[in-house]
Amino acid sequence: KAGVTQTPRYLIKTRGQQVTLSCSPISGHRSVSWYQQTPGQGLQFLFEYFSETQRNKGNFPGRFSGRQFSNSRSEMNVSTLELGDSALYLCASSSAALRARNTEAFFGQGTRLTVV
Amino acid sequence: DAKTTQPTSMDCAEGRAANLPCNHSTISGNEYVYWYRQIHSQGPQYIIHGLKNNETNEMASLIITEDRKSSTLILPHATLRDTAVYYCIVRVGVGNTPLVFGKGTRLSVIA
């Protein structure tokens, strides 16, 4: 079956702009998580959505937001972009339901965002 | 913060077994050990996970010490395509808690 699909793969934005990234999870997966990867901070958890509800949230400013649609597709938005937001943004999907035993997460290829 | 300690880098000869250690001395009874790897410019890839028994799948074996304070990921016959950063992660067994990535071990498989 198809894997996790993230679009676009590459993006260049200017400081102050906003950006929306998209993630389509594996069919049947209802949990979508977002991570930011930078050379300095490594892989950091942004937030997780399950059945259209944000279930977990990392330690990022309010400029970072997300949502999930009824078909489990998810988007994340970053407003008022800063140079430090340049990173690889990764999306992961899993089938884990609330209070259910954890399952492995499957990652997409990521969206590389460059802020200039 | 990550609850695991891994060596920064390791080398392994192609065709030999790669043994990647991980220390998780503060692991709790309900926490599993997960391993992921990230090949350059790709998303992380799940390898294996375990609670206290040793586990094996088509990719690797996971050996967890009896006191569960450390573990070793074994790639039995490393190939050049196994060159990647390997992350050892401790994670509660239920509730879909986020994966907390540390720095990982950069494994270089050498021909």
Side-chain angles (χ1 to χ4, degrees), chain A residues 10-62:
Chain A
Y10 302 92
L11 205 48
I12 300 176
K13 289 286 190 179
T14 306
R15 267 183 305 174
Q17 287 187 311
Q18 67 94 25
V19 67
T20 300
L21 312 181
S22 178
C23 172
S24 294
I26 291 172
S27 178
H29 285 188
R30 293 162 64 189
S31 168
V32 174
S33 298
W34 288 90
Y35 292 80
Q36 181 197 64
Q37 186 171 30
T38 60
Q41 299 299 317
L43 270 156
Q44 292 188 289
F45 171 74
L46 280 155
F47 30 65
E48 184 234 350
Y49 286 86
F50 182 86
S51 292
E52 302 178 65
T53 300
Q54 187 180 87
R55 195 160 64 170
N56 287 297
K57 188 177 188 308
N59 189 25
F60 277 81

Side-chain angles (χ1 to χ4, degrees), chain B residues 91-102:
Chain B
R91 186 189 192 198
V92 172
V94 295
N96 206 39
T97 54
L99 295 164
V100 179
F101 290 84

Side-chain angles (χ1 to χ4, degrees), chain A residues 9 31 35 37 40 43 45 48 55-56 88 90 94 96 99-105 107-109 112, chain B residues 32 34 36 38 41-46 49 87 91-103:
Chain A
R9 289 293 311 279
S31 168
Y35 292 80
Q37 186 171 30
L43 270 156
F45 171 74
E48 184 234 350
R55 195 160 64 170
N56 287 297
L88 179 66
L90 291 156
S94 76
R99 290 185 292 276
R101 188 167 169 271
N102 280 330
T103 61
E104 60 267 34
F107 284 80
Q109 296 281 64
R112 185 163 296 281
Chain B
Y32 286 66
Y34 280 74
Y36 281 78
Q38 187 174 25
S41 296
Q42 297 183 21
Q45 177 190 23
Y46 166 81
H49 74 282
Y87 297 97
R91 186 189 192 198
V92 172
V94 295
N96 206 39
T97 54
L99 295 164
V100 179
F101 290 84
K103 302 284 188 199

